[in-house]
Amino acid sequence: MAFELPALAYAPTALEPHIDARTMEIHHGKHHQAYVTNLNAALAGTDGEKLSIEEICKNISKYPMPVRNNGGGHYNHSLFWTLMAPNAGGNPTGDLAAAIDKAFGNLDEFKKQFATAAATRFGSGWAWLCVKEDKSLCVCSTPNQDNPLMDIAECKGTPILALDVWEHAYYLHYQNRRPDYVGAFWNVVNWNKVAELYKNAM
Ligand code: MN3
């Protein structure tokens, strides 16, 4: 079964003014669609067609580069869209909030480390909050469309929060001001979804 572009759960305008509608339309409808199309082409006629995107990522070293780039692109963006929501932001609560405090000291310190990971990723890539194998939380970043599920990743874990820092994610509105985009992201973070992913990973 071929991979498909997942629909957004909100209108492209819904995250304004933090993420503009034009960026959302192009990012979802053009960039993500291209990853899906190219992933399907790269897997056509192979056993990979029968696997989930998570299974492919976990064994990515066995696949050619187009699968790594486009498969990562499909997994990363599919997750990213669900981690944002209109009328979101605020603070995490419950077990997730306690885990963040335990790992980072407090929420502000977590945000600082995450923003640093996002800002210092040279070129294109992603910043992550992950649950590691020992069930603790960590912040890291990956280049290009790699992610922490991949067996080749330097930092491995189950992603529960992700931020796309490719220029295509912010350039129309923020131009070269990546830190401003990262700062605005906190206004649209869907902490309910992050908490759900945290629970599933535990
Ligand atoms: Mn992107």
Side-chain angles (χ1 to χ4, degrees), residues 5-6 8-9 20 30-31 36 49 51 53 62 100 110 145 149 160 163 165 178 186 197:
L5 181 71
L8 291 176
D20 66 285
K30 304 292 183 192
H31 289 279
V36 171
E49 283 187 304
L51 300 174
I53 192 61
K62 296 180 181 140
I100 287 174
F110 157 67
Q145 296 295 354
L149 283 185
I160 62 170
L163 179 60
V165 296
R178 187 190 287 186
W186 300 118
L197 294 171

Side-chain angles (χ1 to χ4, degrees), residues 123-143:
S124 298
W126 292 74
W128 306 94
L129 173 64
C130 293
V131 178
K132 292 193 290 188
E133 205 173 0
D134 67 5
K135 302 297 180 188
S136 65
L137 294 179
C138 74
V139 160
C140 65
S141 74
T142 54

Side-chain angles (χ1 to χ4, degrees), residues 27 31-32 35 73 77 80-81 126 145 164-166 168-169:
H27 198 181
H31 289 279
H32 189 173
Y35 296 124
H77 289 86
F80 183 48
W81 310 132
W126 292 74
Q145 296 295 354
D164 187 341
V165 296
W166 284 55
H168 70 221

Side-chain angles (χ1 to χ4, degrees), residues 6-173:
L8 291 176
Y10 42 81
T13 53
L15 304 180
E16 289 195 336
H18 310 294
I19 312 284
D20 66 285
R22 187 76 179 124
T23 294
M24 284 301 296
E25 285 166 0
I26 297 171
H27 198 181
H28 175 258
K30 304 292 183 192
H31 289 279
H32 189 173
Q33 179 63 64
Y35 296 124
V36 171
T37 302
N38 294 334
L39 174 63
N40 286 331
L43 289 175
T46 73
D47 290 345
E49 283 187 304
K50 303 182 193 95
L51 300 174
S52 71
I53 192 61
E54 288 83 2
E55 289 170 309
I56 291 170
C57 286
K58 284 174 183 173
N59 295 289
I60 204 68
S61 61
K62 296 180 181 140
Y63 293 86
M65 209 58 189
V67 175
R68 177 167 160 184
N69 289 334
N70 294 290
H74 178 46
Y75 173 85
N76 297 351
H77 289 86
S78 298
L79 178 67
F80 183 48
W81 310 132
T82 68
L83 294 168
M84 299 185 287
N87 307 311
N91 295 334
T93 56
D95 291 347
L96 173 63
I100 287 174
D101 287 347
K102 189 178 173 198
F104 305 102
N106 55 59
L107 182 64
D108 283 345
E109 183 58 28
F110 157 67
K111 286 184 172 179
K112 209 167 104 185
Q113 290 189 27
F114 188 89
T116 299
T120 57
R121 167 50 57 190
F122 185 76
S124 298
W126 292 74
W128 306 94
L129 173 64
C130 293
V131 178
K132 292 193 290 188
E133 205 173 0
D134 67 5
K135 302 297 180 188
S136 65
L137 294 179
C138 74
V139 160
C140 65
S141 74
T142 54
N144 305 313
Q145 296 295 354
D146 289 356
N147 64 54
L149 283 185
M150 291 181 172
D151 57 2
I152 48 83
E154 270 178 46
C155 73
K156 288 191 192 60
T158 304
I160 62 170
L161 182 64
L163 179 60
D164 187 341
V165 296
W166 284 55
E167 284 189 345
H168 70 221
Y170 63 86
Y171 205 86
L172 290 180
H173 188 69

